[in-house]
Amino acid sequence: MGGRKAKIVRNTMFYSEDDFNFETQIGMDYIDEDMNQTVLVFQVDRTKSATIDIYGESEDEESIAYKEPVEINVILVVDKAVNKSYDKTQNLARYLQIGNLAFSVYTKTLTNNGIDISYGDYIGLQVTPDQMEYFVVTNDGRINFDNKHTMYGFKSFYRTVECAPADKNEFSGI
Amino acid sequence: MNLDKLDLNNKVEGVGRVNDIMFGLVDGKNIAPKAISYKDIDSEMENFVSTKLNVLFGGQQIKTFFFAQQRMSEFTKTWEMVDENKNILPNFKIVTRENNPKPGTMQGGFMNIPGDLYFNIGTFDKWDGENKITVTYKMKQPYCVDILYNIKFVTNRFNLINELNNKVNAAFKSKQAYLNVNGHFMPIVLEDVGDESDYDLDQRKIFVQNFQLKVSGYIINEEDIIVEENISRALLGIEIDTKRPSLVSKKNNNLIVEFPRKSRTVMTFKSDNDYHIIGVETSGSNILSYMIMVNGELVSNDFNLQKYDRVQVKIERENRNEFSTLNLIT
């Protein structure tokens, strides 16, 4: 972001940039080393992906181009799978829809890995040693200056990203 | 009903007709319409959706599944195209049927003829080597049903919706398409087009497009068709005894030789025993004169006959149109 740059000075009577950085580092250490929950971020390369001109949707599961996948440490929550059916008249063509994925990630984690997560990016979650499930980002949590996402109202320090399961013929990953 | 199949007006003549008679049934000739069950109509509807409304994705034809309520049904149809979570993968088409079809409107609301009457629908002849047999096909009037099918197209690509929508509208641009069920053509009408997609922003998005099709069909049960065979011509073997009935009889030990009206005037017979003839009685029996020969020799009125002697009696009649009797008195 260009333009004017201003230092955050609110709530600084008993709190400072150093305190913020210290507490952020404690949290990141806990997440990275103690919890060690990770997801794989597939940032879609929107210029290289093959899409149908007018609709901008991918032609097949191979046509989505993505940047080098990056594994990041997060705190994640996967909702319970839901028993659903495609035919709602007679409840036929049943399937077990994977629950949504939501994860919180330190903003600094993204910065350190040189990535950003955007709406429509794909997230890989290793659920078993030989199975990875893919999700598509439905809410990238980019606007994160609400109270919950700030440290004592000083500065925002993490993002909550929400994802919905992606079809295998939409994105096949790696 | 497909009346052309009956081929009633196509009369074969000459050698063709002979062959028809000779080989009528053995060549598999069958003028009766095939039976139609709900299963046949369902099967043809699945075929219609699969072939006439086919959509390609990645060079492959998108599959069509006819589902029933039993859970086994979904597994047996879709096991080939599920992911590691055993979930069926889009894109695909589903065919479901209204489970309890209503009485049909194909006859414009008119009901069937009351009673379980059988109607002649065609005949042909066959020859089984001895008999000419007329084979008659009869059937009951089929009953109509309106069957509603829901076609669901599950896809995650807008472009595929365009393709299917194009196929559907092209198929029904002239009001109705047709199912060919066992040779019977049944009209299909596009009743409704709907959208049951999931558009929830925070959930998985998937297109589910609905097309409701109504088939105006009819059902012919197998027992509604009967085949009757009746013999129309038979070659009868008659043995005729060419011997004339004996005109020589015995009465009171006399031998009576009869000459029917307009018959020949010479009667020849063999003696069946030994006789001594003492006279010949001809009075009042329409005989003017007579001559008797035994074994070729002329005899008088008193002569002997031995067994197997050949006797020839020749008379002259007064009136040829009257009966004559000559009595050899023993």
Side-chain angles (χ1 to χ4, degrees), chain A residues 76-92:
Chain A
L76 62 87
V77 175
V78 180
D79 290 343
K80 187 180 175 185
V82 184
N83 210 12
K84 300 186 78 171
S85 65
Y86 291 110
D87 172 36
K88 294 177 180 63
T89 313
Q90 297 189 20
N91 280 329
L92 292 169

Side-chain angles (χ1 to χ4, degrees), chain B residues 36-55:
Chain B
I36 305 172
S37 64
Y38 287 101
K39 188 178 164 188
D40 295 326
I41 301 174
D42 291 345
S43 173
E44 202 51 47
M45 173 53 79
E46 183 184 15
N47 185 43
F48 175 83
V49 175
S50 178
T51 56
K52 296 281 196 286
L53 308 180
N54 67 322
V55 177

Side-chain angles (χ1 to χ4, degrees), chain B residues 120-169:
Chain B
N120 280 0
I121 55 173
T123 59
F124 72 92
D125 296 331
K126 70 171 185 176
W127 180 257
D128 69 354
E130 292 183 356
N131 302 312
K132 180 187 175 188
I133 298 172
T134 299
V135 182
T136 307
Y137 287 87
K138 294 181 175 180
M139 68 177 291
K140 291 180 185 173
Q141 187 181 7
Y143 70 87
C144 300
V145 282
D146 284 349
I147 308 178
L148 279 176
Y149 290 94
N150 280 302
I151 315 301
K152 304 282 172 72
F153 182 40
V154 181
T155 180
N156 46 25
R157 284 179 167 76
F158 192 63
N159 202 38
L160 295 182
I161 295 177
N162 288 349
E163 286 191 38
L164 181 65
N165 193 275
N166 179 33
K167 293 278 173 70
V168 171
N169 282 312

